[in-house]
Amino acid sequence: MYDGIKGFRDFYPGEMAARRATIDTLEDTARSYGFREIGTPALERAEMWTDKSGDDIVDELYSFEDQGGRHVTLTPELTPTVARMVVAKQQALSKPIKWFSTRPFWRYEQVQQGRQREFYQTNVDIFGSEEPEADAEILAWAADALTGLGLTGEHFEFRISHRDILEGVLESYEADVDTEAAIRAVDKSDKISQVEYHDLLIGAGLSADQAVEFDDLIAGGDLEEVKAFADTERVTAAVENLQNVLEAAEDFGAREYCTISLETARGLDYYTGVVFECFDSAGEVSRSIFGGGRYDDLIEGFGGQPTPAVGVAPGHATLPLLMQRAGVWPEEEVTTDYYVLQIGDTRPEAARIVRDLRDRGHVVETDVAGRSFGAQLNYADSINAETVVIVGEQDLENDEVTIKDMESGDQAQVPVDSFPGDLERPTFDDLE
């Protein structure tokens, strides 16, 4: 026996059916917005991460030297990859570029609730528009996808902020403040004590009094108060942009899910404007469900022409936690429309019925193991077959087959030549 690797999960058919239903909803919603599906590689050059974040990030990657002497890594996130793809064909791509994909990623980190070392995300991005409507469309897609899964405003909220508001307020202090360190402290603020949070702000360059003042201002979330405190062009423009995004979100049907939360910072350095995170409204899921935001400088940083961008990436480890809490996680079971049961030498007629039913788009199984009548019926029950079509030698002598409803146990004989006939989905009720 071999044990699975820590942080890597197996998904058996029942759970995979629930995951597939969830992914299909997210992707179908993306398609309805005009997002186009892309495919991306599992392996990238490690420099795509080390050049930006330094060699220390290697400890968080599944990186190695390949046989060609290249330093490569299993991709820990999608954004640098899609940035590379945009740069490669930037002139040929119609703008705005609207892409989505669902795939696994890998990070070597501590395994905990909602966090694995191999994890799956659905990434949805818009490249080529700096307008507030692009941010609002990302929010609207996320809201429509979640409500399509059966969630409501009682279950989730989007906490929305703007990176320039935080950076502008920090820059308004005369002290030499490390704004990136301070923003990382803000991003951690809901996971640590207030004392620890203030210590991090002080470590970033604020005085003790300034740390308290900054904390109170940001926690208050009053945009007019923020503008009055940091009366700079940068903060004023950021507040106006955030308000414009929220106004567009109102028109797009997503505003009711949005709460201004200036403590929402998103720790990644490449975010440049509006940022948001989705949280469980009841607070029972302790961490954010997913997040997103604007990253206008990334394409240029990868050698392309300046290209604004905004995106979001729901994760398929945390999203099920919210759905389960809300009672909308799909049933973890397989379902089958028909099981065609064979008794005796009836394979040719049984196979014809199987083909006809599958041609109509149904899920159909039949015996491939030479089992007895009872074993086949038990198997049909185990795969939640709705209808069993019994093709037996005695029935065929009378030019009939038996149709059995598995829920009620009722059954009836019908002419074999007229089954399935002209009916798209014939069941026992249709044949009474």
Side-chain angles (χ1 to χ4, degrees), residues 240-354:
E240 181 180 348
N241 179 244
L242 178 55
Q243 291 171 330
N244 289 339
V245 168
L246 291 172
E247 288 178 6
E250 176 75 39
D251 292 336
F252 293 176
R255 179 63 179 91
E256 65 180 288
Y257 307 106
C258 299
T259 301
I260 295 173
S261 172
L262 301 183
E263 294 171 299
T264 297
R266 305 291 289 154
L268 295 174
D269 294 339
Y270 54 65
Y271 284 113
T272 58
V274 167
V275 290
F276 75 95
E277 291 185 332
C278 175
F279 276 88
D280 171 11
S281 297
E284 294 180 17
V285 180
S286 59
R287 53 178 301 189
S288 69
I289 308 302
F290 58 83
R294 183 164 281 280
Y295 49 98
D296 288 344
D297 298 337
L298 193 64
I299 301 300
E300 189 175 6
F302 273 72
Q305 296 298 313
T307 304
V310 60
V312 63
H316 296 282
T318 49
L319 184 55
L321 298 177
L322 175 62
M323 295 174 66
Q324 288 161 7
R325 197 276 294 172
V328 298
W329 181 244
E331 290 292 329
E332 293 189 0
E333 61 181 15
V334 296
T335 57
T336 309
D337 298 321
Y338 296 92
Y339 182 85
V340 179
L341 190 154
Q342 303 174 47
I343 306 174
D345 188 16
T346 61
R347 188 180 71 190
E349 194 59 48
R352 191 272 303 170
I353 293 172
V354 167

Side-chain angles (χ1 to χ4, degrees), residues 71-121:
H71 186 199
V72 297
T73 183
L74 294 173
T75 48
E77 57 174 324
L78 188 68
T79 306
T81 294
V82 292
R84 175 183 59 73
M85 290 174 64
V86 169
V87 171
K89 295 190 175 183
Q90 191 163 18
Q91 300 305 316
L93 295 168
S94 298
K95 311 300 188 300
I97 303 161
K98 297 170 63 174
W99 287 347
F100 81 90
S101 68
T102 302
R103 50 153 295 180
F105 300 92
W106 300 268
R107 291 180 189 161
Y108 194 84
E109 58 185 359
Q110 185 63 41
V111 177
Q112 55 185 279
Q113 184 192 46
R115 178 172 291 177
Q116 300 288 329
R117 289 173 177 169
E118 180 181 61
F119 57 96
Y120 293 74
Q121 290 181 337

Side-chain angles (χ1 to χ4, degrees), residues 168-188:
V169 169
L170 289 165
E171 290 172 355
S172 70
Y173 288 103
E174 295 182 0
D176 185 14
V177 180
D178 182 341
T179 56
E180 289 187 4
I183 287 177
R184 284 194 292 271
V186 174
D187 188 49
K188 297 177 182 176

Side-chain angles (χ1 to χ4, degrees), residues 169 173 212-222 225-226 229-230 262:
V169 169
Y173 288 103
V212 173
E213 180 182 49
F214 175 78
D215 184 10
D216 290 342
L217 179 68
I218 297 303
D222 187 322
E225 185 178 347
V226 167
F229 179 86
L262 301 183

